[in-house]
Amino acid sequence: MAYRNHSLRAVFIPVRSNISVIAPIHEPFPLERKRAQMDSLTMQTNAHARIMLLAPGDNIVVTTGAVAKGAPVGSDGITANHDTPQGHKIAIRPIQSGAPILKFDTVIGYAAHDIAPGDWLHSHNILFDAVDKDYAFARDYVETEILPPDQRAQFMGIRRANGRVGTRNYIGLFVTVNCSATVARKIGNYFDEGRMQVWSNVDGVIPFIHEQGCGMEMTGEPMDLLRRTLAGYIRHPNMAGAVVLSLGCERNNLAEFFEEQGLAEGKLLRTITMQHVGGTARAIADGKAAILEMLEEANQVSRVPCSAEHITVGMQCGGSDGLSGLSANPGLGAAADILVRNGGTAILSETPEIFGVEHLLTRRARTREVGEKLVERMDWWLDHTKGRDTQINGVVSPGNQAGGLANVLEKSLGGAKKSGSTGLMEVYRYAEPVTQKGLVFMDTPGFDPVSATGQIAGGANLICFTTGRGSCFGSYPAPTIKLASNTPMFDRMTDDMDINCGTVIDGDQSIEELGQTIFEQILSVASGTQSKSEALGVGEEEFAPWPIGVTG
């Protein structure tokens, strides 16, 4: 594994006092979140069930802790009819067979049979079916008031010659095809901790390995996806330089790749073709020499004050549970709102995981055309996965189900809360360069490594990743901040989790306060503070271009 050097560090410049948090839509009801103000909705387990009502019109409550059979549920004389785990749902009024189940005043499914107050609701008695969606393109769009430049938050960033700003300073080893992966790894392993001490301002030399490049179409979307992803990483503001390694006979031809993507060799971008230089050993030697030539220049960088408008956050969720949509996701949405007000960019993705609630985003689209782009991408997914046992067709993962999510509609409802409340400014295809400021959407699969790889290729210089079950994700060259939805998991996995969002569930913090906490952590990590995944060295294996076109 290549060494990551963390000597280039600086303290971030704090948020200015006049910057406030914009509350996300779908704030849990009521707005007051302090424990003393929540007694009617969230009760202690030793006296009452711990529950949360999310909207006045809901016919269910969500359990914020395990609820025993017979425990009181609310103050209306309802008791739990079953032992119900944390993050799951309990009916608070009679629901007839076929009637909608409402969470956040949104349909998440239909009753499989008559349901009594106090019944546990989950995949065994919630039917997944189509829901009516009014896209109402751009109906609810409101232009966000961006703070004047002199009032925007700042961080300590790395200014590149082309004007872009990085949060890290890496040299990357890239492969056009998996056949040159071993060469890349051996070159990366050579630059270990001992050797890298000489270049203390370089965060590391990282091999970015994938399994594609041959056995696929030479033209069309599959090759376009791979080449866009590789080029996006090579050009990334967190990358000081790159060496691109090829075998020589692969379908992802090196010369064609460079020409198509507008890349050109230079001091900080070198290429090595194994069949041209004489094989594996010679390619490794040439690669080491090329990196050594780059390191002196890469080491000359320094961090300087930069506006938060240069931060682009890729927003991810993985290992979600029933509390993710109540704490970590809306908290990240509140932080995204602050970032947008400061001129920055937030990327929402994972298209299959907004299925069923995409109309909530199209209503906030800047224009009808932007909203229609999102619908077109969703239609592609529905066609692409037709008849397949995939998440978009209803059934979420066993971990999601154990955490309280009954189906993809419920999961999507929580996941979409990462978007906050600002307008949807643009929709991008996978790994396309993100140039529009504000909240944008990038079409990606729901699989986290593939999704985050597309966001980073598009320009995300930091990832924020919410989790309820405990995902251990990390990424290079953009660091990942992990947000835990609940306190028990945060305490159990504190070495992996950066922020405990369970404080909202516990009644110790409001969504607005959590958003401010997350935003300040974004500034800190963007300034060089290590995230938990960085400290553990997680991220090298998580580079995963979308393998849409491997056909043999």
Side-chain angles (χ1 to χ4, degrees):
M1 180 178 291
Y3 172 64
R4 265 74 53 188
N5 192 327
H6 299 290
S7 299
L8 182 60
R9 297 291 175 258
V11 178
F12 72 96
I13 298 176
V15 185
R16 299 176 189 273
S17 59
N18 61 345
I19 296 173
S20 60
V21 177
I22 303 173
I25 60 171
H26 304 311
E27 167 77 0
F29 175 85
L31 293 175
E32 295 81 16
R33 305 293 303 162
K34 297 301 181 183
R35 188 180 300 280
Q37 298 169 305
M38 294 171 61
D39 289 343
S40 64
L41 297 179
T42 304
M43 278 68 73
Q44 299 299 309
T45 42
N46 59 356
H48 295 282
R50 296 183 62 193
I51 60 170
M52 187 178 288
L53 178 68
L54 305 178
D58 287 357
N59 50 17
I60 60 95
V61 290
V62 175
T63 61
T64 61
V67 174
K69 181 179 179 179
V73 178
S75 56
D76 296 328
I78 301 171
T79 58
N81 299 329
H82 313 87
D83 290 334
T84 307
Q86 173 184 281
H88 288 240
K89 298 164 291 296
I90 297 175
I92 55 172
R93 59 178 64 106
I95 306 173
Q96 291 185 341
S97 177
I101 309 298
L102 296 176
K103 179 179 179 180
F104 278 118
D105 203 24
T106 302
V107 178
I108 61 168
Y110 302 90
H113 50 72
D114 289 347
I115 292 171
D119 280 358
W120 170 42
L121 285 155
H122 199 41
S123 52
H124 63 287
N125 57 6
I126 299 178
L127 294 177
F128 173 78
D129 204 349
V131 295
D132 292 330
K133 291 176 279 192
D134 178 7
Y135 292 122
F137 296 110
R139 185 191 69 188
D140 299 334
Y141 173 73
V142 177
E143 185 175 356
T144 301
E145 183 178 348
I146 307 299
L147 291 168
D150 63 347
Q151 294 182 24
R152 295 175 190 171
Q154 293 188 325
F155 72 104
M156 300 299 290
I158 300 168
R159 289 193 179 275
R160 302 298 185 188
N162 62 3
R164 300 177 76 186
V165 176
T167 62
R168 294 294 184 270
N169 191 44
Y170 287 102
I171 291 177
L173 292 153
F174 296 91
V175 299
T176 58
V177 66
N178 186 257
C179 306
S180 46
T182 297
V183 171
R185 288 204 187 280
K186 288 186 176 295
I187 296 169
N189 290 341
Y190 176 80
F191 292 94
D192 58 13
E193 182 174 357
R195 289 188 174 90
M196 289 302 295
Q197 290 301 318
V198 179
W199 303 282
S200 59
N201 289 338
V202 179
D203 288 306
V205 177
I206 306 291
F208 293 93
I209 305 304
H210 61 87
E211 298 180 354
Q212 301 180 57
C214 223
M216 58 191 297
E217 295 177 283
M218 292 181 67
T219 58
E221 186 173 33
M223 189 65 78
D224 289 345
L225 288 175
L226 176 59
R227 288 178 172 176
R228 275 206 308 267
T229 304
L230 293 172
Y233 269 67
I234 291 167
R235 291 194 180 100
H236 199 280
N238 287 5
M239 207 70 72
V243 174
V244 183
L245 299 144
S246 69
L247 177 60
C249 57
E250 60 269 31
R251 296 178 73 82
N252 183 23
N253 178 267
L254 177 62
E256 292 176 3
F257 164 51
F258 265 51
E259 180 179 3
E260 179 186 292
Q261 294 296 322
L263 298 169
E265 277 200 86
K267 288 193 303 181
L268 294 175
L269 178 56
R270 303 283 296 278
T271 66
I272 297 170
T273 300
M274 295 169 64
Q275 292 171 352
H276 294 175
V277 301
T280 302
R282 185 60 183 270
I284 292 169
D286 287 357
K288 292 175 183 177
I291 297 293
L292 287 168
E293 291 174 9
M294 292 181 188
L295 281 168
E296 286 301 328
E297 184 168 343
N299 196 51
Q300 299 306 309
V301 303
S302 59
R303 290 186 180 268
V304 297
C306 298
S307 168
E309 69 194 74
H310 295 292
I311 295 176
T312 298
V313 172
M315 299 186 293
Q316 290 287 318
C317 56
S320 298
D321 69 351
L323 301 182
S324 294
L326 316 186
S327 58
N329 289 344
L332 178 54
D337 284 344
I338 305 174
L339 178 62
V340 169
R341 287 194 63 209
N342 279 272
T345 305
I347 307 174
L348 183 68
S349 294
E350 301 176 293
T351 312
E353 296 184 8
I354 63 160
F355 174 67
V357 299
E358 66 270 26
H359 57 291
L360 302 179
L361 293 169
T362 60
R363 295 173 186 178
R364 293 160 51 191
R366 176 171 54 92
T367 65
R368 180 183 183 89
E369 290 71 26
V370 170
E372 287 176 341
K373 286 182 183 180
L374 183 60
V375 175
E376 185 275 328
R377 286 288 82 201
M378 187 62 71
D379 288 345
W380 181 91
W381 275 98
L382 291 169
D383 181 66
H384 181 64
T385 60
K386 188 174 182 179
R388 300 184 183 184
D389 182 19
T390 59
Q391 180 172 245
I392 200 170
N393 292 319
V395 180
V396 294
S397 73
N400 292 151
Q401 292 185 52
L405 298 175
N407 55 45
V408 71
L409 296 176
E410 184 176 14
K411 184 175 182 179
S412 295
L413 181 61
K417 295 186 186 305
K418 300 192 298 293
S419 67
S421 65
T422 62
L424 177 64
M425 304 303 290
E426 189 54 272
V427 173
Y428 293 94
R429 292 199 175 213
Y430 186 85
E432 284 185 335
V434 173
T435 57
Q436 174 67 55
K437 297 290 187 179
L439 173 69
V440 302
F441 188 90
M442 178 179 285
D443 176 38
T444 74
F447 185 38
D448 308 315
V450 175
S451 181
T453 294
Q455 292 177 328
I456 295 170
N461 50 18
L462 195 146
I463 299 292
C464 282
F465 192 115
T466 69
T467 182
R469 304 292 291 172
S471 173
C472 299
F473 181 83
S475 55
Y476 293 114
T480 290
I481 298 171
K482 289 200 291 299
L483 313 175
S485 76
N486 61 89
T487 299
M489 186 272 285
F490 177 83
D491 290 342
R492 188 172 66 252
M493 302 185 67
T494 186
D495 289 342
D496 289 276
M497 300 296 124
D498 294 278
I499 295 176
N500 178 21
C501 302
T503 52
V504 170
I505 304 299
D506 300 336
D508 297 327
Q509 201 174 28
S510 68
I511 291 293
E512 294 96 332
E513 291 166 341
L514 176 59
Q516 186 72 32
T517 297
I518 295 170
F519 182 63
E520 291 178 2
Q521 184 77 349
I522 287 171
L523 296 178
S524 179
V525 172
S527 297
T529 300
Q530 274 189 278
S531 69
K532 293 292 184 69
S533 63
E534 282 186 293
L536 292 168
V538 179
E540 196 171 300
E541 302 297 334
E542 284 72 10
F543 175 69
W546 189 359
I548 192 173
V550 177
T551 57

